[in-house]
Amino acid sequence: MTTTDSLTSNPVLRIAPAAPAEAAAYFRAALVFHADVSDVAAVLAADGDPGFVVLDSRSTAAWDQGHIPGAVHLPTALIPEQAEQLLDRSVPVVTYCWGPGCNGATRAALALAELGYLVKEMLGGFEYWVREGFAFETWEGRERRAADALTAPADSEDCGC
């Protein structure tokens, strides 16, 4: 079997990886648009102004079920009429919704960007916020669940990535 044959039969390499410069540009661009749950949590836990506002784009029922402490609640459908009263265009916004299976944070980020806001989407959403063991609020008060070992390091606060 030739190298060409092994590449075409290999589903991972059937389409060759991008050239390093192209890959670097793509991954740099991804970081421009996304924030990680752990990074958001670390900045919010530090003293001082985080330099951004966190926006929960879910429904009121979802917000009441649990949300990130300090987040602004603004459902996606209400962004065009209410964003200006709740957000400062000079402060970046980090949007989140339910989790990786939901594109609500993406739609909220698009709506905000179209209105002139600086915006990033928080990867993993509320699901991964809770699964990584960070505190959240409900209408009953603050809660925290143990970190899921499949989403966060079991014996360390730093995943090393």
Side-chain angles (χ1 to χ4, degrees):
M1 187 191 278
T2 67
T3 304
T4 305
D5 291 338
S6 64
L7 287 179
T8 58
S9 65
N10 179 333
V12 174
L13 299 175
R14 190 171 297 137
I15 297 174
E22 289 176 274
Y26 171 84
F27 293 117
R28 185 174 293 107
L31 293 172
V32 168
F33 299 111
H34 299 115
D36 178 87
V37 165
S38 296
D39 291 341
V40 171
V43 173
L44 294 178
D47 291 332
D49 177 7
F52 59 86
V53 64
V54 177
L55 185 135
D56 185 317
S57 64
R58 300 172 303 149
S59 69
T60 299
W63 169 267
D64 289 345
Q65 194 172 327
H67 56 271
I68 295 173
V72 171
H73 181 227
L74 182 57
T76 301
L78 301 177
I79 287 173
E81 62 191 56
Q82 294 184 9
E84 195 170 302
Q85 291 92 32
L86 297 172
L87 303 169
D88 178 343
R89 276 192 178 80
S90 69
V91 178
V93 178
V94 176
T95 63
Y96 75 90
C97 199
W98 274 113
C102 174
N103 69 2
T106 305
R107 286 184 279 117
L110 173 60
L112 290 165
E114 288 176 339
L115 292 172
Y117 290 88
L118 300 168
V119 65
K120 286 190 174 205
E121 177 183 4
M122 187 177 77
L123 296 175
F126 185 67
E127 176 189 347
Y128 275 71
W129 184 271
V130 174
R131 289 182 73 186
E132 290 190 26
F134 300 118
F136 60 96
E137 294 178 337
T138 70
W139 61 273
E140 295 177 310
R142 213 170 254 233
E143 294 184 34
R144 179 181 227 130
R145 297 181 185 164
D148 179 337
L150 294 175
T151 63
D155 298 325
S156 171
E157 298 221 358
D158 181 11
C159 70
C161 56

